[in-house]
Amino acid sequence: MASLNLHLLSAFIPTFFLVSLTPGMCMTLSLSLGITIGVRRAMWMMVGELLGVGLVATAAAVGVATFMLEYPTAFALFKYAGGVYLAWLGIQMWRSRGKLALGDQDEPAPAASPWQLATQGFVTAIANPKGWAFFIALLPPFIDSKLPMAPQLTTLILIILGLEFICLQIYAHGGRKLSQALRRGGGVRTVNRVAGTLMMGVAAWLALG
Protein backbone atom coordinates (compact mmCIF):
# COMPACT_ATOMS: atom_id res chain seq x y z
CA MET A 1 0.00 0.00 0.00
CA ALA A 2 3.08 2.27 -0.06
CA SER A 3 2.12 3.25 -3.61
CA LEU A 4 -1.25 4.60 -2.40
CA ASN A 5 -2.20 7.57 -0.26
CA LEU A 6 -4.68 6.05 2.17
CA HIS A 7 -5.82 9.43 3.44
CA LEU A 8 -6.85 10.54 -0.06
CA LEU A 9 -8.36 7.13 -0.76
CA SER A 10 -10.53 7.24 2.37
CA ALA A 11 -11.86 10.64 1.29
CA PHE A 12 -12.44 9.56 -2.32
CA ILE A 13 -14.74 6.62 -1.51
CA PRO A 14 -17.57 8.53 0.25
CA THR A 15 -17.18 11.47 -2.14
CA PHE A 16 -17.66 9.39 -5.26
CA PHE A 17 -20.42 7.26 -3.70
CA LEU A 18 -22.51 10.34 -2.92
CA VAL A 19 -21.89 11.80 -6.38
CA SER A 20 -22.69 8.50 -8.10
CA LEU A 21 -25.86 8.04 -6.05
CA THR A 22 -27.15 11.42 -7.24
CA PRO A 23 -29.79 10.93 -9.97
CA GLY A 24 -28.23 11.16 -13.43
CA MET A 25 -28.65 9.70 -16.89
CA CYS A 26 -27.23 6.27 -16.11
CA MET A 27 -29.11 5.95 -12.83
CA THR A 28 -32.37 7.01 -14.47
CA LEU A 29 -31.74 4.45 -17.21
CA SER A 30 -31.20 1.75 -14.59
CA LEU A 31 -34.43 2.79 -12.84
CA SER A 32 -36.33 2.67 -16.14
CA LEU A 33 -35.07 -0.80 -17.05
CA GLY A 34 -35.65 -2.04 -13.52
CA ILE A 35 -39.30 -1.09 -14.02
CA THR A 36 -39.79 -2.89 -17.33
CA ILE A 37 -37.31 -5.77 -17.67
CA GLY A 38 -36.23 -6.37 -14.09
CA VAL A 39 -32.92 -6.27 -12.28
CA ARG A 40 -31.45 -9.46 -13.71
CA ARG A 41 -31.79 -8.47 -17.36
CA ALA A 42 -30.84 -4.86 -16.60
CA MET A 43 -27.46 -6.28 -15.56
CA TRP A 44 -26.51 -6.39 -19.24
CA MET A 45 -27.05 -2.64 -19.49
CA MET A 46 -24.92 -2.24 -16.38
CA VAL A 47 -22.07 -4.21 -17.97
CA GLY A 48 -22.04 -1.81 -20.93
CA GLU A 49 -22.40 1.22 -18.68
CA LEU A 50 -19.49 0.14 -16.48
CA LEU A 51 -17.30 -0.44 -19.54
CA GLY A 52 -18.18 3.06 -20.71
CA VAL A 53 -17.52 4.62 -17.30
CA GLY A 54 -14.20 2.79 -17.06
CA LEU A 55 -13.20 4.06 -20.50
CA VAL A 56 -14.25 7.63 -19.70
CA ALA A 57 -12.41 7.61 -16.36
CA THR A 58 -9.27 6.19 -17.96
CA ALA A 59 -9.38 8.64 -20.86
CA ALA A 60 -9.98 11.53 -18.49
CA ALA A 61 -7.00 10.48 -16.42
CA VAL A 62 -4.66 10.55 -19.43
CA GLY A 63 -6.04 13.79 -20.82
CA VAL A 64 -8.05 12.57 -23.82
CA ALA A 65 -11.20 14.10 -22.38
CA THR A 66 -9.67 17.57 -22.47
CA PHE A 67 -9.10 17.25 -26.19
CA MET A 68 -12.65 16.01 -26.79
CA LEU A 69 -14.17 18.90 -24.86
CA GLU A 70 -12.04 21.43 -26.77
CA TYR A 71 -13.04 19.96 -30.16
CA PRO A 72 -16.63 18.97 -29.52
CA THR A 73 -18.10 18.62 -33.02
CA ALA A 74 -17.69 14.86 -33.45
CA PHE A 75 -18.53 14.31 -29.81
CA ALA A 76 -21.71 16.38 -30.16
CA LEU A 77 -22.84 14.35 -33.18
CA PHE A 78 -22.32 11.12 -31.23
CA LYS A 79 -24.19 12.60 -28.28
CA TYR A 80 -27.17 13.67 -30.41
CA ALA A 81 -27.31 10.27 -32.13
CA GLY A 82 -27.40 8.58 -28.73
CA GLY A 83 -30.16 10.93 -27.59
CA VAL A 84 -32.28 10.19 -30.68
CA TYR A 85 -31.84 6.45 -30.15
CA LEU A 86 -32.89 6.62 -26.51
CA ALA A 87 -35.85 8.87 -27.38
CA TRP A 88 -37.04 6.33 -29.94
CA LEU A 89 -36.81 3.58 -27.31
CA GLY A 90 -38.74 5.76 -24.86
CA ILE A 91 -41.51 6.41 -27.38
CA GLN A 92 -41.75 2.69 -28.11
CA MET A 93 -41.98 1.93 -24.40
CA TRP A 94 -44.61 4.65 -23.87
CA ARG A 95 -46.71 3.01 -26.60
CA SER A 96 -46.16 -0.44 -24.99
CA ARG A 97 -44.18 -1.56 -28.01
CA GLY A 98 -40.60 -2.61 -28.68
CA LYS A 99 -38.19 -4.92 -26.95
CA LEU A 100 -37.91 -2.95 -23.69
CA ALA A 101 -41.63 -2.52 -23.05
CA LEU A 102 -43.40 -4.70 -20.55
CA GLY A 103 -45.72 -7.04 -22.46
CA ASP A 104 -49.14 -8.23 -21.49
CA GLN A 105 -49.27 -11.75 -20.15
CA ASP A 106 -51.10 -12.89 -23.28
CA GLU A 107 -48.77 -11.03 -25.65
CA PRO A 108 -45.25 -10.87 -24.20
CA ALA A 109 -43.01 -8.29 -25.84
CA PRO A 110 -39.96 -9.54 -27.78
CA ALA A 111 -36.93 -9.40 -25.52
CA ALA A 112 -34.01 -7.08 -26.17
CA SER A 113 -30.77 -9.00 -26.59
CA PRO A 114 -27.91 -8.73 -24.06
CA TRP A 115 -25.87 -7.01 -26.76
CA GLN A 116 -28.56 -4.35 -27.30
CA LEU A 117 -28.83 -3.69 -23.58
CA ALA A 118 -25.06 -3.50 -23.12
CA THR A 119 -24.75 -1.14 -26.09
CA GLN A 120 -27.44 1.08 -24.63
CA GLY A 121 -25.55 1.37 -21.34
CA PHE A 122 -22.21 1.94 -23.08
CA VAL A 123 -23.53 4.71 -25.34
CA THR A 124 -25.22 6.46 -22.43
CA ALA A 125 -21.99 6.47 -20.40
CA ILE A 126 -19.69 7.48 -23.26
CA ALA A 127 -21.93 10.21 -24.72
CA ASN A 128 -22.46 12.03 -21.43
CA PRO A 129 -20.37 15.25 -21.60
CA LYS A 130 -20.92 15.92 -17.91
CA GLY A 131 -19.32 12.56 -17.17
CA TRP A 132 -16.16 13.56 -19.01
CA ALA A 133 -15.99 16.94 -17.28
CA PHE A 134 -16.75 15.33 -13.92
CA PHE A 135 -13.84 12.91 -14.11
CA ILE A 136 -11.46 15.64 -15.24
CA ALA A 137 -12.44 17.64 -12.16
CA LEU A 138 -12.74 14.76 -9.68
CA LEU A 139 -9.67 12.59 -10.23
CA PRO A 140 -6.75 15.06 -9.90
CA PRO A 141 -7.45 16.12 -6.28
CA PHE A 142 -7.27 12.49 -5.17
CA ILE A 143 -3.97 11.67 -6.89
CA ASP A 144 -0.73 12.06 -4.96
CA SER A 145 1.91 13.35 -7.38
CA LYS A 146 4.67 12.01 -5.11
CA LEU A 147 3.54 8.40 -5.59
CA PRO A 148 3.52 6.17 -8.71
CA MET A 149 0.65 7.11 -11.00
CA ALA A 150 -0.40 3.69 -12.37
CA PRO A 151 -1.32 2.01 -9.04
CA GLN A 152 -3.30 5.07 -7.94
CA LEU A 153 -5.30 5.34 -11.17
CA THR A 154 -5.97 1.60 -11.25
CA THR A 155 -7.24 1.64 -7.67
CA LEU A 156 -9.40 4.72 -8.19
CA ILE A 157 -10.98 3.34 -11.37
CA LEU A 158 -11.72 -0.01 -9.70
CA ILE A 159 -13.35 1.84 -6.80
CA ILE A 160 -15.36 3.95 -9.26
CA LEU A 161 -16.65 0.85 -11.04
CA GLY A 162 -17.53 -0.89 -7.78
CA LEU A 163 -19.44 2.08 -6.36
CA GLU A 164 -21.13 2.75 -9.71
CA PHE A 165 -22.35 -0.86 -9.81
CA ILE A 166 -23.78 -0.59 -6.29
CA CYS A 167 -25.67 2.57 -7.20
CA LEU A 168 -26.99 1.06 -10.44
CA GLN A 169 -28.27 -1.89 -8.42
CA ILE A 170 -30.00 0.43 -5.94
CA TYR A 171 -31.83 2.22 -8.75
CA ALA A 172 -32.72 -0.99 -10.62
CA HIS A 173 -34.14 -2.59 -7.47
CA GLY A 174 -36.05 0.63 -6.79
CA GLY A 175 -37.46 0.44 -10.31
CA ARG A 176 -38.51 -3.14 -9.73
CA LYS A 177 -40.38 -2.16 -6.56
CA LEU A 178 -41.99 0.75 -8.40
CA SER A 179 -43.07 -1.60 -11.18
CA GLN A 180 -44.83 -3.83 -8.68
CA ALA A 181 -46.66 -0.83 -7.19
CA LEU A 182 -47.65 0.47 -10.63
CA ARG A 183 -48.95 -2.94 -11.68
CA ARG A 184 -51.29 -2.92 -8.71
CA GLY A 185 -52.39 0.64 -9.39
CA GLY A 186 -52.69 0.98 -13.14
CA GLY A 187 -51.58 -2.10 -15.01
CA VAL A 188 -48.98 -2.77 -17.68
CA ARG A 189 -49.70 0.32 -19.78
CA THR A 190 -49.01 2.62 -16.81
CA VAL A 191 -45.74 0.81 -16.11
CA ASN A 192 -44.62 1.25 -19.72
CA ARG A 193 -45.60 4.92 -19.81
CA VAL A 194 -43.70 5.73 -16.62
CA ALA A 195 -40.61 3.88 -17.88
CA GLY A 196 -40.93 5.40 -21.35
CA THR A 197 -41.18 8.90 -19.91
CA LEU A 198 -38.02 8.28 -17.88
CA MET A 199 -36.26 7.00 -20.99
CA MET A 200 -37.27 10.07 -23.02
CA GLY A 201 -36.03 12.21 -20.15
CA VAL A 202 -32.63 10.50 -20.35
CA ALA A 203 -32.64 11.11 -24.11
CA ALA A 204 -33.33 14.83 -23.71
CA TRP A 205 -30.74 15.05 -20.94
CA LEU A 206 -28.16 13.39 -23.15
CA ALA A 207 -28.86 15.45 -26.27
CA LEU A 208 -29.23 18.83 -24.56
CA GLY A 209 -26.84 18.44 -21.63
Side-chain angles (χ1 to χ4, degrees):
M1 299 297 287
S3 60
L4 300 174
N5 186 320
L6 296 181
H7 176 71
L8 290 177
L9 199 62
S10 64
F12 176 79
I13 293 173
T15 298
F16 185 81
F17 179 74
L18 290 176
V19 171
S20 186
L21 193 61
T22 302
M25 287 192 299
C26 293
M27 297 304 152
T28 305
L29 180 61
S30 186
L31 177 68
S32 177
L33 294 184
I35 291 173
T36 57
I37 66 175
V39 177
R40 181 174 297 180
R41 291 191 58 224
M43 288 279 287
W44 289 107
M45 181 280 295
M46 297 179 196
V47 170
E49 194 271 348
L50 291 175
L51 288 174
V53 167
L55 180 60
V56 170
T58 302
V62 298
V64 175
T66 303
F67 176 82
M68 293 188 69
L69 292 175
E70 288 179 355
Y71 302 94
T73 303
F75 183 62
L77 291 175
F78 183 70
K79 180 182 69 168
Y80 295 143
V84 170
Y85 173 66
L86 292 180
W88 178 78
L89 290 176
I91 293 170
Q92 292 289 93
M93 293 168 70
W94 205 89
R95 299 174 63 192
S96 295
R97 297 180 179 179
K99 296 182 178 181
L100 294 180
L102 192 66
D104 293 322
Q105 292 182 352
D106 295 334
E107 297 183 15
S113 70
W115 171 256
Q116 289 172 318
L117 293 170
T119 299
Q120 186 179 4
F122 182 80
V123 168
T124 303
I126 290 293
N128 181 7
K130 292 182 180 179
W132 290 92
F134 169 74
F135 282 114
I136 292 175
L138 180 69
L139 289 177
F142 295 98
I143 295 175
D144 190 335
S145 60
K146 298 178 182 179
L147 297 176
M149 190 67 63
Q152 294 184 84
L153 291 178
T154 301
T155 301
L156 290 178
I157 291 171
L158 289 175
I159 290 173
I160 287 169
L161 295 179
L163 294 177
E164 185 81 357
F165 178 72
I166 291 172
C167 292
L168 288 169
Q169 286 286 317
I170 291 172
Y171 275 83
H173 278 88
R176 189 59 178 168
K177 294 294 184 182
L178 180 59
S179 174
Q180 294 171 353
L182 290 171
R183 280 174 179 268
R184 291 193 294 268
V188 170
R189 183 175 295 274
T190 300
V191 173
N192 284 329
R193 288 187 172 182
V194 169
T197 300
L198 289 171
M199 185 73 73
M200 287 185 280
V202 173
W205 198 342
L206 180 60
L208 303 176

